[in-house]
Amino acid sequence: MAYWLIKSEPSSWSWDDQVRKKITHWDGVRNYQARNNLKQMKIGDLCFFYHSVVGKQIMGIVKVCASYKDDPTDSSGKFGMVDVEYVESLEKPVTLEQIKNTKELQDLALIKQSRLSVMPVMPQQWACILRLGNY
DNA sequence: GCCAACGTTGGC
DNA sequence: GCCAACGTTGGC
């Protein structure tokens, strides 16, 4: 099983929305690197849900519940999506600032490639963030 | 195939 | 709201 981090601006899709709706299409990705990461997701993989722009913190965990398929919102047919399902909220959201201040997390793409919206997370990074979140 | 122009993302 | 970083588009 693999771990990921996916971003959303709360003004378009927030963690509260995710908690309420439980399952959603993770559509709208229009970047090839992010798409390639989506393609590699398998059912059961876990993802951190990160609020970009407003909040700038990891809010909780979702699980991949449908693998890569066409994104109906993309008329070009080049991009796809997965479905994700609410799993759990972090007791304490983990902020970008905390991540930047944590030695083990310096290699996270969140820091190195701030514009990438779907990125892999190494198991040790995953565990480290869980500890920061008091999960 | 190069690169200038343009559009978007996201931190500050 | 600004702008740096980055990705995409299109003329040549």
Side-chain angles (χ1 to χ4, degrees):
Chain A
M1 184 185 68
Y3 299 105
W4 309 91
L5 184 149
I6 58 179
K7 292 186 188 176
S8 184
E9 281 199 42
S11 57
S12 56
W13 183 256
S14 72
W15 180 242
D16 279 351
D17 295 330
Q18 187 72 48
V19 170
R20 208 173 310 120
K21 188 138 187 259
K22 303 288 184 200
I23 294 181
T24 188
H25 293 320
W26 204 260
D27 59 11
V29 169
R30 295 293 181 270
N31 167 283
Y32 290 107
Q33 201 181 343
R35 182 200 66 176
N36 291 342
N37 288 330
L38 284 181
K39 272 187 181 174
Q40 289 175 45
M41 288 184 179
K42 301 235 175 10
I43 291 175
D45 283 0
L46 296 176
C47 315
F48 284 130
F49 186 114
Y50 176 80
H51 271 171
S52 63
V53 184
V54 177
K56 283 174 284 180
Q57 53 191 4
I58 295 171
M59 301 300 294
I61 298 167
V62 294
K63 174 174 72 179
V64 177
C65 62
S67 53
Y68 190 82
K69 56 192 165 181
D70 285 345
D71 177 350
T73 70
D74 172 37
S75 55
S76 76
K78 290 177 185 164
F79 296 97
M81 64 182 189
V82 300
D83 291 355
V84 296
E85 177 182 4
Y86 164 79
V87 174
E88 196 88 62
S89 295
L90 292 181
E91 188 176 318
K92 293 191 302 183
V94 176
T95 66
L96 180 62
E97 191 185 7
Q98 281 179 282
I99 290 166
K100 284 186 167 173
N101 289 332
T102 302
K103 201 172 153 208
E104 303 94 293
L105 300 176
Q106 293 309 299
D107 289 335
L108 257 191
L110 192 68
I111 299 175
K112 301 182 118 182
Q113 270 181 280
S114 67
R115 293 183 45 184
L116 186 62
S117 63
V118 180
M119 67 194 75
V121 176
M122 297 300 103
Q124 60 273 23
Q125 296 169 331
W126 181 271
C128 180
I129 292 169
L130 285 185
R131 282 196 299 276
L132 291 174
N134 254 354
Y135 179 76

